[in-house]
Amino acid sequence: MSFVDVTAATGAYGPFDTTVLAPYGTIPTPVGRVCRLTFFCTLLDIHMTTAGYGLIARLEAAKLPRLTSGKRR
């Protein structure tokens, strides 16, 4: 199985352009994504939100082998 780079998928390696996210104001866009996908900004908890876990699940599912005529490729 190949590696799923969640950091790259969320754009965290990208440039530090800014976004506005209440109640924090203007922050780097990658930080805003972390705030939306985890509880870190609200609870100082590194665990993902439902949206964050959903993103990881979709990324992992996309890496799974596809079935063809009942057989794995």
Side-chain angles (χ1 to χ4, degrees), residues 11-60:
Y13 295 130
F16 275 85
D17 53 344
T18 59
T19 189
V20 177
L21 182 66
Y24 310 106
T26 302
I27 58 174
T29 300
V31 173
R33 288 188 191 108
V34 168
C35 290
R36 284 191 281 279
L37 296 173
T38 71
F39 291 107
F40 192 79
C41 297
T42 55
L43 303 174
L44 293 179
D45 181 343
I46 62 169
H47 293 92
M48 305 298 272
T49 61
T50 300
Y53 281 121
L55 171 66
I56 291 173
R58 287 188 301 280
L59 293 170
E60 290 287 343

